[in-house]
Amino acid sequence: MDGIDLQDEHQAANSAKVTTSGSSDGAYRVLARKYRPSSFEDLYGQEPMVQTLQNAFETGRIAQAWMLTGVRGVGKTTTARILARGLNYEVPGEIDKPTIHLDKPGTHCQAIMEGRHVDVIEMDAASHTGIDDIREITEAARYRPASARYKVYIIDEVHMLSKSAFNGLLKTLEEPPEHVKFIFATTEIRKVPVTVLSRCQRFDLRRIESSTLVSLLQEISGKEGIEISDEALALIARAGEGSARDSLSLLDQAIAHGAGRIAADEVRQMLGLADRSRVIDLFEHVMRGDIASSLDELKAQYEVGADPAVVLSDLADFTHLVTRLKAVPKSGDEASVTESERVRGREFAEKLTMRILSRTWQILLKGINEVQTAPKPLAAADMVLVRLCYASDLPDPEEALKLLKSGKFSPASGGAPTGNAPQGGGGSTASAVSSGRGSAPQLRTVAGGQAMAQAVGVAPQTAPQMRRAEELHEKIAIRSWQEVAQLAARMKDIPVKVSVERALRLVNFQPGRIEVQPTEIATADAAGELGRKLTEWTGRRWIVAVSRDQGRPTIHEEKEANQRQLVSDAHSDPEIVKLIAAFPGAKVVDVRILKQEEDIPFETASEVTDIDPTDSIDFTEDF
């Protein structure tokens, strides 16, 4: 891997101690800067972008602007400098055209890579966000470059430009002078206006795979003369999360922590991670449903400094690994997977079902957030493990229904399957499973060959409950849009009731299919949510589709219109007029019709000489 400074690279390659490596003036430079890529060949994991640029340069189809996006540390700014170097690459007497083959140091290469070339202008949009900064660029773009082939503007964190700055850049970006090129870099691509994106070629820089990061770290460690174990490299690569800069920063920290010799334990201690083998042991305890051993193991890891949230995160990572090994066995051959993870993970993958692994993943995903926000993280982590232990041997709804129909699932016995399985505390069966360290749990087979620790718990619904639910579904028959709102009220689902009455306009109503027109206050999934709720409540399939046709007023709008009409009619009634006249400043604000008089026309009531006490009319008086 080529360094920025050839003299520095030569010193690094021949250095026996990390303390002697640095720049030519004796100042130490961090690894992320010292081994920053300087050519396209050095870019790890970005082969699609390099191939596109190579074809563009060879055919002369060079774009006017590029947009580089990706997470932190994948090389956006470095790629921008390399691209500027390729655009202005020139070797006197040999090469004088844009190319991606940067084999020799060119006339402008060193100055561009060090960010000090007069024709390659780098601007940080985080500190230059205004229209005045962009106006300087647009005015200077008219002049030709001083020495290079192209005048290149590199704008980092471009999403932080103001709206006026983006608008000021649009015209120059769409029709720049032939000698001007723009390169933008951002981590928040969604914040960049689409008018700017449409004028650029976009490259999404991918996260670097863990195996690639391990190779990169191994190569740099060799150049620095550092002894580091493969497991330690895997830990650093995993903690780097696809970022080369983050991984090199962690390697720098590990070198300082280990004083030239780095073992996995030291890296684990530095990162605050639990021992990976102990995490696998914890996974085994959880899958066996052994609550006592699970809680003891978590407490032991906590006492040596492990963060409960990190332990659960590692547990989730191992669950993900076991799931991948079950779905794609060859994924265990990756360099980022340690030997213990590979061996024991494959054993678990053979004996655990995909449903159990998926359920474990969902519980851990929710539990990690709970632990991170809990006032007592260890107690919250304990509760997550208890939940996992009980859920590890629960049948899924389909298996529980099969057991119930076959008579092997007895609601009277607390939901446990009938048979000779020993009963344990908490309404679960505890199977005595003995396994040594490194071996997967011997899981019992229940319900047609499904691998579980036990099949325990209460069935989702007993047979009488299911029959009552079916009878309830038979009684629910919806014949109008108003009955949909009434059903939502009966089910006490206030969000759906409000959505039907205020957010959806009826276009067409048929049994099983409703067409609606959403209002401005409707949520994005209002129609789909209503369809799912109706299907659940009625026991038959309902489709609620969004229509482009104009719908009738919402139920709430119709109620308001009717109420306004009643108030208007009340104002025109002679008796009400007399009453208002008797109280200066009074006015009718509401009219309510009692149930026994709902069918009586309003004109009939107006013929009564005296006010009927059954009428309810609200007045307000301004004094």
Side-chain angles (χ1 to χ4, degrees):
M1 183 175 180
D2 294 338
I4 301 174
D5 193 321
L6 298 179
Q7 182 178 0
D8 287 353
E9 180 187 0
H10 179 71
Q11 291 177 354
N14 294 279
S15 175
K17 296 182 179 180
V18 67
T19 54
T20 62
S21 61
S23 58
S24 57
D25 59 357
Y28 175 73
R29 285 195 302 170
V30 297
L31 298 179
R33 290 185 58 197
K34 182 177 180 180
Y35 293 99
R36 171 176 278 176
S38 60
S39 65
F40 288 103
E41 288 78 7
D42 297 337
L43 290 177
Y44 280 79
Q46 312 303 337
E47 290 77 10
M49 180 196 67
V50 174
Q51 183 63 42
T52 302
L53 291 175
Q54 178 180 359
N55 296 337
F57 284 1
E58 289 178 354
T59 59
R61 305 176 67 89
I62 302 177
Q64 61 198 23
W66 293 270
M67 179 71 67
L68 307 178
T69 179
V71 297
R72 82 273 182 244
V74 294
K76 296 183 294 296
T77 304
T78 298
T79 302
R81 290 181 179 179
I82 295 174
L83 181 54
R85 179 189 174 192
L87 288 169
N88 291 314
Y89 191 63
E90 178 183 353
V91 178
E94 297 184 24
I95 302 176
D96 191 11
K97 65 177 183 179
T99 180
I100 69 165
H101 301 293
L102 312 175
D103 302 327
K104 300 180 181 179
T107 305
H108 311 285
C109 291
Q110 185 172 353
I112 291 176
M113 295 307 298
E114 293 178 357
R116 56 180 177 81
H117 197 283
V118 67
D119 293 324
V120 179
I121 300 94
E122 294 189 26
M123 187 185 86
D124 178 21
S127 56
H128 301 80
T129 62
I131 182 63
D132 293 336
D133 301 302
I134 297 301
R135 188 178 291 116
E136 292 181 7
I137 292 178
T138 56
E139 291 177 355
R142 296 179 297 173
Y143 303 101
R144 298 191 63 83
S147 60
R149 184 180 301 109
Y150 292 107
K151 182 177 285 188
V152 182
Y153 290 95
I154 301 175
I155 303 180
D156 199 7
E157 302 299 338
V158 68
H159 66 275
M160 302 192 72
L161 289 178
S162 64
K163 183 177 180 181
S164 58
F166 274 122
N167 292 336
L169 184 64
L170 286 179
K171 189 61 179 177
T172 303
L173 183 61
E174 183 174 15
E175 298 179 359
E178 295 183 356
H179 58 270
V180 173
K181 302 294 181 183
F182 289 95
I183 305 176
F184 304 116
T186 178
T187 55
E188 301 285 347
I189 190 65
R190 294 184 179 180
K191 294 183 180 180
V192 180
V194 67
T195 51
V196 174
L197 289 176
S198 63
R199 292 166 167 83
C200 305
Q201 281 190 5
R202 172 176 168 177
F203 292 113
D204 291 85
L205 304 188
R206 302 179 300 179
R207 292 180 184 268
I208 304 176
E209 295 180 357
S210 296
S211 56
T212 305
L213 278 177
V214 169
S215 301
L216 173 63
L217 296 174
Q218 199 168 24
E219 179 182 350
I220 293 177
S221 299
K223 291 182 178 180
E224 293 291 321
I226 302 298
E227 295 183 17
I228 183 170
S229 65
D230 294 339
E231 186 177 358
L233 290 174
L235 288 172
I236 294 175
R238 188 183 294 115
E241 296 181 341
S243 169
R245 185 175 62 217
D246 288 4
S247 300
L248 289 175
S249 297
L250 291 174
L251 179 61
D252 231 337
Q253 184 179 349
I255 292 174
H257 183 78
R261 184 181 181 89
I262 307 170
D265 292 339
E266 295 173 342
V267 173
R268 194 175 288 111
Q269 181 181 2
M270 180 191 75
L271 298 176
L273 300 176
D275 188 343
R276 199 68 176 179
S277 61
R278 299 189 66 174
V279 170
I280 301 175
D281 291 340
L282 179 59
F283 181 84
E284 180 177 346
H285 296 325
V286 168
M287 290 297 101
R288 291 171 53 192
D290 190 344
I291 298 177
S293 299
S294 300
L295 298 183
D296 289 343
E297 179 61 36
L298 176 61
K299 184 178 180 181
Q301 295 185 29
Y302 178 78
E303 289 175 349
V304 296
D307 185 355
V310 175
V311 174
L312 292 187
S313 298
D314 288 346
L315 204 59
D317 289 341
F318 187 71
T319 303
H320 173 250
L321 174 63
V322 174
T323 307
R324 289 187 61 197
L325 290 173
K326 188 172 187 64
V328 186
K330 65 178 182 181
S331 61
D333 299 332
E334 296 178 358
S336 59
V337 181
T338 63
E339 184 64 24
S340 61
E341 292 175 335
R342 183 181 302 109
V343 174
R344 300 185 68 183
R346 283 173 175 166
E347 293 179 358
F348 284 117
E350 292 175 357
K351 298 186 179 183
L352 294 174
T353 66
M354 192 64 73
R355 290 176 178 174
I356 294 176
L357 292 171
S358 299
R359 184 166 54 198
T360 303
W361 170 261
Q362 292 296 333
I363 295 175
L364 284 170
L365 205 61
K366 186 175 185 297
I368 291 171
N369 291 330
E370 293 178 359
V371 173
Q372 290 174 342
T373 58
K376 295 183 178 180
L378 180 60
D382 283 343
M383 298 305 296
V384 174
L385 292 184
V386 170
R387 195 183 312 160
L388 278 171
C389 289
Y390 272 91
S392 65
D393 50 19
L394 286 176
D396 56 66
E398 181 180 353
E399 293 167 348
L401 185 59
K402 290 180 180 178
L403 290 170
L404 183 63
K405 291 181 177 180
S406 64
K408 297 179 180 180
F409 208 81
S410 174
S413 62
T418 60
N420 298 323
Q423 295 294 325
S428 64
T429 58
S431 59
V433 180
S434 59
S435 59
R437 179 174 181 136
S439 61
Q442 302 172 5
L443 303 178
R444 190 161 60 87
T445 300
V446 179
Q450 294 294 337
M452 300 181 185
Q454 309 100 11
V456 297
V458 181
Q461 282 186 328
T462 62
Q465 290 174 335
M466 296 174 65
R467 286 195 295 271
R468 285 196 297 269
E470 293 175 357
E471 292 173 358
L472 178 62
H473 289 162
E474 291 175 358
K475 293 178 181 179
I476 296 178
I478 302 175
R479 294 175 294 273
S480 67
W481 184 237
Q482 285 75 13
E483 291 184 359
V484 174
Q486 294 170 5
L487 178 59
R490 286 173 53 195
M491 296 298 179
K492 299 182 180 180
D493 196 324
I494 302 304
V496 174
K497 180 177 181 294
V498 173
S499 177
V500 172
E501 292 183 346
R502 297 173 180 263
L504 299 175
R505 295 189 176 98
L506 179 64
V507 176
N508 184 28
F509 185 93
Q510 296 178 0
R513 180 177 177 83
I514 303 175
E515 295 182 8
V516 296
Q517 178 195 23
T519 65
E520 295 79 3
I521 65 173
T523 60
D525 193 33
E529 179 66 15
L530 177 59
R532 289 190 289 270
K533 290 292 185 179
L534 289 177
T535 301
E536 175 185 345
W537 294 337
T538 63
R540 60 171 297 182
R541 186 184 181 192
W542 281 82
I543 298 176
V544 181
V546 176
S547 175
R548 296 183 179 179
D549 297 338
Q550 179 63 38
R552 47 189 290 190
T554 64
I555 295 176
H556 180 69
E557 292 170 344
E558 289 181 348
K559 287 181 179 179
E560 288 187 333
N562 293 337
Q563 192 64 22
R564 287 194 297 269
Q565 184 63 40
L566 286 174
V567 173
S568 177
D569 292 345
H571 276 290
S572 63
D573 184 86
E575 297 299 328
I576 302 300
V577 172
K578 293 179 183 180
L579 189 59
I580 292 178
F583 298 93
K587 60 181 179 180
V588 180
V589 296
D590 190 17
V591 177
R592 299 193 185 104
I593 302 177
L594 300 181
K595 291 183 179 181
Q596 60 266 32
E597 295 186 353
E598 287 182 350
D599 298 332
I600 302 177
F602 191 82
E603 291 77 14
T604 305
S606 65
E607 297 175 0
V608 181
T609 55
D610 296 329
I611 298 177
D612 193 333
T614 59
D615 289 340
S616 177
I617 303 177
D618 291 344
F619 297 90
T620 59
E621 184 174 358
D622 300 330
F623 293 98

